[in-house]
Amino acid sequence: MLFTADHDDIRRSLQKFIAAEINPHVDEWEKADIFPAHELFKTMGSLGFLGLNKPVAFGGSGLDYSYALVMAEELGAITCGGVPMAIGVQTDMATPALARFGSDEVRREFLSPSISGDFVACIGVSEPGAGSDVASIKTAARSDGDDYVINGGKMWITNGTQADWICLLANTGDGPVHRNKSLICVPMKSKGVTVARKLDKMGMRSSDTAQIFFDNVRVPKRNRIGEEGKGFSYQMIQFQEERLWGAAACLKAHEYIIDQTIEYTRNRKAFGKSILDNQVVHFKLAEMQTEVELLRALIYRAAEQLVAGEDVTKLATMAKLKAGRLGRELTDACLQYWGGMGFTNETPVSRAYRDSRLTSIGGGADEVMLMVLCKMMGTLPGSKGNA
């Protein structure tokens, strides 16, 4: 990936912003189990961070995806996983399909204020009985004249308790499951929308996550993104950016834990020498750093293809899979070297251990990523090329 001086300017601006406006508050937000999304997003929007690759006509900067990638990577320097994840939902999960396929009217109503930070967005795909199996969702939007009437529920919704609108995937027909769904922008203040509960999570503590119900929620059909029945396809395209974002946001987070572990093990003594002096420790950390660089190369290659307009489903899926697996291995290994301190909540490695576990689940579980790859390779039972 070839970066320019403009990319470097965005990196430096984000580094300064994170150091001054986010990291000093992370411990407080983690204890509170929530961060002030409207306040933070408004500041980020005013600085242009929420619409780097969004259309200029709706408040974005009109840059290509490489700039969004730079932002995702730099957000990994935030000393928790919850806040960068919430930002990523705003920029790379709830809004890509809207920016690409939405009408001018619906983009003015929902995309523009999301770019400016006046609106907090969330994405409503997963349900209690349909997490990674997107085709099995049950939430339905019944046609009633010029409106949809929505009934159902969504689960594990990041930003859900603070969001102004939800990019909702719902069944709008009775046809085949891959062609009967639509993406609809639903204001969270609509009558019949209920935030049932804020979920108590193992990690990502500073990010609010909700269960949401829809009871005869009426919204105009003009709130639909693109064509009716194309929602599944739009969401699959949107997943490419989501999965790349999720992988890129891990890079600096992984490097931070490696650096923190080096510092801690260098100063911690056992049996007359530092923990770091043990070959098993410094060899393992070198191996983990190498794995991070390999993941970075894969992500950059995928981003180059995305900028070129190519389908990056395969590479984005690989990156997402590798990021989740690496996060589990790396944080587990590093926590072990912290000994008893690694098991306390006051250390960065324990937070990283808890937060990184979600990468192998959210946005498509590891097993789903493997199914996608096997299907593309022709090795999945029933797929082309595998008798």
Side-chain angles (χ1 to χ4, degrees), residues 72-295:
E73 186 173 354
E74 290 305 322
L75 290 177
I78 297 174
T79 53
C80 70
V83 175
M85 178 177 67
I87 297 169
V89 167
Q90 183 89 353
T91 59
D92 287 71
M93 300 178 204
T95 52
L98 173 59
R100 183 170 181 177
F101 301 109
S103 67
D104 286 354
E105 183 179 15
V106 76
R107 286 190 288 182
R108 279 191 296 268
E109 186 172 351
F110 295 98
L111 181 61
S112 291
S114 298
I115 291 172
S116 67
D118 291 303
F119 277 6
V120 172
C122 63
I123 176 77
V125 176
S126 296
E127 299 178 3
S132 295
D133 185 6
V134 176
S136 296
I137 65 166
K138 302 302 181 186
T139 297
R142 175 177 55 84
S143 177
D144 185 18
D146 292 331
D147 295 338
Y148 287 120
V149 179
I150 304 169
N151 285 281
K154 295 295 178 179
M155 189 69 164
W156 307 294
I157 307 304
T158 300
N159 297 342
T161 72
Q162 301 185 75
D164 296 285
W165 69 281
I166 182 169
C167 179
L168 182 75
L169 186 67
N171 296 316
T172 50
D174 297 322
V177 294
H178 297 107
R179 296 195 294 275
N180 73 335
K181 296 170 174 55
S182 300
L183 284 174
I184 306 167
C185 299
V186 180
M188 290 292 286
K189 291 183 179 179
S190 301
K191 182 179 179 181
V193 177
T194 302
V195 176
R197 61 187 174 118
K198 179 170 170 283
L199 303 178
D200 184 12
K201 308 186 300 296
M202 177 180 80
M204 301 292 193
R205 302 293 302 186
S206 53
S207 169
D208 59 299
T209 309
Q211 181 177 19
I212 302 171
F213 292 130
F214 303 88
D215 183 13
N216 288 323
V217 178
R218 184 175 291 271
V219 296
K221 288 183 178 178
R222 60 179 171 79
N223 284 19
R224 188 184 64 238
I225 296 173
E227 298 180 40
E228 187 172 270
K230 292 288 188 70
F232 185 88
S233 297
Y234 294 160
Q235 184 56 42
M236 292 304 105
I237 294 171
Q238 195 161 243
F239 270 147
Q240 292 187 20
E241 291 191 30
E242 175 176 343
R243 289 166 181 166
L244 265 184
W245 182 95
C250 292
L251 296 172
K252 288 208 166 185
H254 290 345
E255 290 175 332
Y256 172 73
I257 293 305
I258 292 173
D259 291 343
Q260 291 291 302
T261 302
I262 290 172
E263 181 179 357
Y264 183 79
T265 55
R266 175 175 281 127
N267 294 315
R268 181 184 170 208
K269 306 292 183 181
F271 304 106
K273 62 180 180 179
S274 75
I275 299 298
L276 186 61
D277 283 347
N278 289 283
Q279 187 182 81
V280 68
V281 177
H282 55 251
F283 272 20
K284 185 65 173 181
L285 292 173
E287 184 178 343
M288 291 295 94
Q289 185 65 58
T290 302
E291 292 291 323
V292 173
E293 284 302 324
L294 290 170
L295 176 60

Side-chain angles (χ1 to χ4, degrees), residues 331-371:
T331 57
D332 184 72
C334 288
L335 189 149
Q336 184 70 20
Y337 301 148
W338 285 67
M341 287 304 298
F343 202 65
T344 65
N345 282 334
E346 65 187 79
T347 56
V349 71
S350 66
R351 180 182 294 170
Y353 181 87
R354 290 180 285 111
D355 287 354
S356 65
R357 189 61 182 83
L358 181 62
T359 309
S360 284
I361 302 172
D366 282 2
E367 292 74 18
V368 174
M369 300 300 97
L370 289 166
M371 287 173 62

